[in-house]
Amino acid sequence: FAYEMMQAWVPAHAYVMDIADTPDGLKVIEINNINSAGFYAADPQKIIMAIEHLVEYGPRGFYTVGEGSILI
């Protein structure tokens, strides 16, 4: 679902997309700049590693960071 939504609009190289599972299916709740995102149950080290990978190699795939994933 997240990858499909990314095909519609990508605001930046690194951003956060909050997705909810609703009775009507998956929905995008909000999209935030990575600098203003709360990371909640995410593993900060994995976030840093994913962003470093993005900078070095460009967009490549999903990285699990806790409750959710990072798509880079």
Side-chain angles (χ1 to χ4, degrees), residues 2-48:
Y3 185 78
E4 182 182 325
M5 294 298 101
M6 270 185 44
Q7 302 311 303
W9 182 61
V10 177
H13 289 294
Y15 63 95
V16 176
M17 181 185 306
D18 293 338
I19 299 171
D21 189 2
T22 74
D24 296 322
L26 295 174
K27 303 288 181 189
V28 175
I29 302 302
E30 63 181 347
I31 295 176
N32 292 309
N33 182 307
I34 192 85
N35 298 347
S36 62
F39 297 118
Y40 308 106
D43 181 337
Q45 184 173 1
K46 288 183 179 181
I47 293 170
I48 292 167

